Amino acid sequence: MIYVIIFGFLGISWFMSWKLKSKFREYSQVPFRGNMTGAQVAEKMLRDSGINDVTIHSVEGELTDHYNPANKTVNLSPDVYSGRSVAAAAVAAHECGHAVQHAKAYQWLGMRSKLVPAVSFASRWVQWVIMGGALLAMAAPTLGLGVIVFGIALFALTTLFAFVTLPVEFDASKRALEWLNSANMTTSQENEMAYDALKWAAMTYVVAALQSLVMLIYYIYVYLLRSRR
Ligand SMILES: [Zn+2]
């Protein structure tokens, strides 16, 4: 049963990333009323929001766009940075949405940032700790199970992080769509398309969070089976 769910989620997350890419490609062909590049859209949204200490950069890759609160940079992929499309405008505005969250001390972004160091440690070591605990359990069961519990706690931290990310992502998209509308960047039809593109981006985060939760339940289930023996 649990394996069916795990494989089901693998299938769904593959479908989501395919869907997101195809939606993005579709809306990359659609011009919008503002007729600016993603970089110009980002600059205007930051200025309109009264933000002057955030810089905009171009980064390699496809859908690699992100806001980095550590050095206050909006990082846009080449297609977004120099693209003049609904998709580019939507993504650029979304990343600026994160910059606005940061400037306004939006609490979920603050919580997410606080979790980053622990989560990067956890995601680097979790597999090794659980595997090491399972091996150790063969020789010293009590100690081994203790190590496994520690590993599961590390994994739970990454699951928590995936869920804290959700309100941050939804809120950034909401801010982006509101600004695109109020700054008269998009027609109502273009705003619908921007909404659709950002919706699929958000869905990949929802699937990732649920997938992480399923794996957490799986680890706890296996642990309970072993510890009963
Ligand atoms: Zn985002």
Side-chain angles (χ1 to χ4, degrees), residues 127-143:
Q127 303 298 339
W128 297 102
V129 171
I130 290 177
M131 223 187 323
L135 287 174
L136 192 61
M138 290 183 219
T142 316
L143 187 61

Side-chain angles (χ1 to χ4, degrees), residues 64-145:
T64 47
D65 312 82
H66 64 280
Y67 172 70
N68 185 350
N71 57 7
K72 293 193 171 185
T73 54
V74 166
N75 301 279
L76 304 175
S77 62
D79 286 344
V80 173
Y81 190 88
S82 48
R84 290 174 187 269
S85 65
V86 166
V91 172
H94 170 95
E95 299 312 334
C96 291
H98 289 308
V100 174
Q101 290 173 337
H102 194 193
K104 295 197 170 171
Y106 175 65
Q107 58 172 352
W108 289 102
L109 181 74
M111 193 187 291
R112 189 176 185 277
S113 300
K114 273 184 206 134
L115 283 170
V116 166
V119 168
S120 65
F121 171 83
S123 50
R124 194 174 310 145
W125 292 103
V126 66
Q127 303 298 339
W128 297 102
V129 171
I130 290 177
M131 223 187 323
L135 287 174
L136 192 61
M138 290 183 219
T142 316
L143 187 61
L145 285 174

Side-chain angles (χ1 to χ4, degrees), residues 185-196:
M185 281 280 134
T186 49
T187 64
S188 63
Q189 201 190 3
E190 289 157 7
N191 206 275
E192 280 293 309
M193 291 183 214
Y195 168 80
D196 193 44

